[in-house]
Amino acid sequence: MHEFRYVNGELNCEQVPIRSLVEKYGTPLYVYSQKTFSDHFKKLDQALGALDHQICYALKANSNLAVLRTLVNAGSGFDIVSEGELRRVIAAGGNPKLCVFAGVGKTAREIEFALKKGIYSFNVESEAELVRINQIAGKLGKKAPIAIRVNPNIDAHTHAKITTGTYANKFGIAFEEIESIYARAAKLKNLKLRGLQMHIGSQLTEVEPFEQAVKKVLPLATRLAPKYNLEFFSIGGGLGIIYDNALASGSSDWWQKPEAKNLLNPEKYAATLVPLLKPLSLKILIEPGRFISGNSGVLVTRVEYVKQTGKKNFVIVDAAMNDLIRPAFYDSFHQIIPLRKSKAKEISSDVVGPICESGDFFAKDRMLPKVGEGDFLALLSAGAYGFVMASNYNSRGLAAEVLVNGNKGAVVRERQNLDDIWSSERIPKWLIA
Ligand code: LLP
C-alpha cells in the first residue's frame, strides 16, 4: 500500500494535490510520502514480530536526511556502504550502534571512521578485508565487530545487474570457504565475531530464492553461532515491489485480487522465513531498501513538447536519465500517469527526456492518454534508486525533493543552483592569459 491516489481527478500524495507542489516548486520534482515510508517499515517490523530482529534500512535506496529521520523515528537501524552514508545517518540523528557496513571495497579511512563511531558490525566481503580491519582496529586499540558475508550461490531470478548471490558476482565469500574463514578470523586478536550475513539480490518478486538461501545457510549458522558466540544473522535485503501496477497497489483491496495473489509481500516473506529462523535463536537483521522507499516516491515532470515522427509519438518531458536512470540502465518499467486523471484517447507513446542520447527514455511504445505541452506526468515507484542515482550529466541541476506529511509538504532538498554544478571546478593559471 502507498499514499498516492487520485482524489477528485487530481493525483494526491497523502492529502496534498501534487499539482500544488509543482506550482510552488517547479519540475522535475521528487515527491515523497512520509506515511508510506513509516507504514512500510511498520508492516515489515510487525511481520517479523515473532523474531528478535532489527530492520537496517539500506539507505543507498534513498538517503535524503528527512527520509532517514522518518525511519530513525520509526526505530530503524541502517545498512551503510560508505563513510558518506554513515555521516548522513549521523546527520539525520541516527545511531551508529544500529549500523552495519557492507561493500566489497571499504577503504582504510572508512574503516577507521566507522570504528571510531562504534558501528554494530562490518559485513566483511573478503579475507583481505578481514586482515585490514584487524590491523586498523589494533592501531586504534579497539575490537572491531564483524560478520562475514556468505555467498550462498543461489540465483535470485532478478535483473543481472542486481543479482549478487552467485559465484559469478563479486560479493561475499563462497559458502564452502566460510568455516575456515571464521576459524581464521577467530585467531585475529582485534576482531569480535558478531554475526553472519548474506544478501542474494534486489527486486526479488518470489519468496523461493530467499527460502532456498536461508535453508542452505541455516545449518552453517547453527554450527557457527555457538562456536563463536555469534549474536546475529542478517538475511540481507531484496524484497521486491510492484512496478507495473504501482498505482493500483496503493489500495488495500487490490491485494485481495487474483493478480496480487502470487506476489511477494511481507506476510508471505515472514510466513516462510520466520519458522525457519526462529529455532536459530539469533537476532535476525534485514536490510530492505526498495521495499521501504520504492513506492514512497514519485518523480513529477512537465511535458515540454510532443513530436510525431511518422513512426512514433514522442512525449518530450523536462526530467531525464540524469534524474532517474533506471529505465536507461536496467530497462526498468515505471508506471506513468498524468497528474490530472485523463479521459483522453490512449495512444502509443515514447516518453523521453531532453538529453542527447537515445538511452534517455522513460517509456517506449507505452499506451498513454494523449498529452500536450504543459501537462504534468508522474513517474511512479521512483522513491528507491531514483534521486540517489541522479547526476549532473549535460550540466543539468539536481531536482528538488519534497516530503509530504498529511496535508503539509516541505522541501527536503532545494533544487540545485546551476552555478553550484561547477563551483568546485578550477581553471589552472596557465590557461588564463
Ligand atoms: N543489502 C545489501 C548488501 C545490498 O547490496 C543491497 C542492495 C540491499 C541490502 C538493499 O536491497 P533492496 O532491499 O533495496 O533490494 N540500483 C538498483 C538496485 C541496486 C541494489 C544494490 N544493493 C536498482 O535501481 O534496481
Side-chain angles (χ1 to χ4, degrees):
M1 284 214 26
H2 57 72
E3 293 293 321
F4 294 90
R5 56 185 59 88
Y6 285 112
V7 178
N8 301 326
E10 281 288 334
L11 188 66
N12 274 30
C13 174
E14 302 192 15
Q15 287 129 52
V16 177
I18 296 179
R19 177 174 302 273
S20 68
L21 300 171
V22 159
E23 279 163 4
K24 236 169 152 173
Y25 307 118
T27 50
L29 187 70
Y30 275 96
V31 178
Y32 303 130
S33 152
Q34 184 177 318
K35 184 168 188 301
T36 309
F37 288 107
S38 38
D39 279 358
H40 286 171
F41 179 91
K42 273 187 223 144
K43 212 167 179 188
L44 206 47
D45 206 30
Q46 279 160 9
L48 298 172
L51 297 172
D52 174 17
H53 70 279
Q54 175 65 50
I55 297 179
C56 291
Y57 168 66
L59 63 141
K60 61 169 82 70
N62 185 328
S63 57
N64 185 287
L65 294 186
V67 171
L68 299 186
R69 186 50 175 251
T70 302
L71 294 167
V72 167
N73 292 349
S76 190
F78 297 94
D79 171 45
I80 60 167
V81 291
S82 68
E83 178 181 339
E85 285 197 347
L86 181 52
R87 285 183 184 272
R88 264 183 186 280
V89 168
I90 295 168
N95 183 356
K97 292 192 174 58
L98 294 180
C99 288
V100 290
F101 194 163
V104 295
K106 302 175 192 81
T107 65
R109 177 196 152 117
E110 289 179 314
I111 293 168
E112 185 165 334
F113 182 74
L115 264 174
K116 285 184 176 156
K117 292 294 169 194
I119 63 162
Y120 182 62
S121 180
F122 291 92
N123 292 337
V124 175
E125 307 232 13
S126 65
E127 201 167 339
E129 184 189 332
L130 209 56
V131 171
R132 183 183 279 188
I133 294 176
N134 181 61
Q135 188 239 328
I136 297 170
K139 192 183 83 185
L140 297 179
K142 289 186 181 290
K143 266 200 181 282
I146 63 120
I148 308 246
R149 174 166 178 179
V150 49
N151 182 333
N153 202 21
I154 300 275
D155 187 350
H157 302 149
T158 182
H159 192 283
K161 283 187 181 152
I162 50 179
T163 289
T164 52
T166 78
Y167 291 167
N169 309 120
K170 68 182 173 185
F171 301 99
I173 292 178
F175 181 80
E176 294 75 15
E177 290 169 31
I178 291 292
E179 282 180 273
S180 63
I181 292 275
Y182 272 87
R184 170 104 204 268
K187 294 202 185 96
L188 298 174
K189 282 200 309 289
N190 310 312
L191 300 183
K192 173 179 168 42
L193 278 52
R194 185 163 259 173
L196 176 67
Q197 195 261 357
M198 69 175 186
H199 171 78
I200 57 173
S202 195
Q203 183 53 16
L204 273 70
T205 51
E206 308 157 0
V207 78
E208 286 77 15
F210 287 116
E211 185 181 5
Q212 257 182 298
V214 166
K215 280 189 172 157
K216 181 162 179 187
V217 175
L218 260 182
L220 185 65
T222 311
R223 281 197 301 277
L224 293 173
K227 196 162 174 189
Y228 299 109
N229 207 6
L230 303 184
E231 282 171 28
F232 79 90
F233 175 34
S234 170
I235 56 172
L239 262 156
I241 60 162
I242 306 211
Y243 281 99
D244 50 354
N245 264 317
L247 182 66
S249 73
S251 73
S252 53
D253 57 336
W254 190 79
W255 292 92
Q256 318 307 326
K257 298 200 169 136
E259 60 265 42
K261 279 281 185 295
N262 292 323
L263 292 169
L264 187 55
N265 58 40
E267 290 80 14
K268 207 174 288 178
Y269 178 80
T272 308
L273 301 185
V274 169
L276 295 173
L277 294 167
K278 181 88 182 151
L280 196 55
S281 297
L282 288 181
K283 185 192 272 290
I284 300 301
L285 263 53
I286 83 162
E287 305 161 2
R290 190 188 321 259
F291 175 77
I292 288 178
S293 58
N295 278 325
S296 301
V298 302
L299 172 61
V300 189
T301 185
R302 180 180 189 274
V303 176
E304 292 293 333
Y305 301 99
V306 176
K307 168 169 161 176
Q308 266 107 15
T309 59
K311 230 177 158 186
K312 291 250 192 190
N313 178 53
F314 285 104
V315 175
I316 304 168
V317 296
D318 69 351
M321 65 191 280
N322 76 299
D323 299 297
L324 177 69
I325 202 173
R326 302 192 71 258
F329 201 44
Y330 311 108
D331 276 317
S332 61
F333 181 99
H334 287 262
Q335 195 178 356
I336 301 178
I337 57 175
L339 282 194
R340 195 189 306 282
K341 202 169 189 170
S342 171
K343 293 209 176 76
K345 188 170 157 258
E346 291 203 339
I347 52 171
S348 174
S349 309
D350 278 25
V351 180
V352 301
I355 284 182
C356 309
E357 296 209 26
S358 301
D360 182 26
F361 70 93
F362 293 122
K364 284 188 174 162
D365 305 317
R366 182 88 60 89
M367 291 307 286
L368 289 178
K370 203 163 182 273
V371 289
E373 184 184 331
D375 287 341
F376 293 104
L377 297 174
L379 284 86
L380 305 187
S381 320
Y385 307 109
F387 184 89
V388 285
M389 294 180 82
S391 76
N392 285 126
Y393 189 38
N394 278 207
S395 288
R396 289 167 50 85
L398 298 177
E401 296 173 284
V402 168
L403 184 73
V404 169
N405 174 25
N407 59 10
K408 304 188 289 282
V411 174
V412 293
R413 174 191 288 269
E414 303 280 349
R415 187 172 301 285
Q416 188 178 30
N417 281 323
L418 293 182
D419 297 356
D420 290 341
I421 298 176
W422 54 86
S423 62
S424 56
E425 296 173 27
R426 303 288 176 262
I427 301 175
K429 278 201 192 91
W430 68 77
L431 286 173
I432 304 165

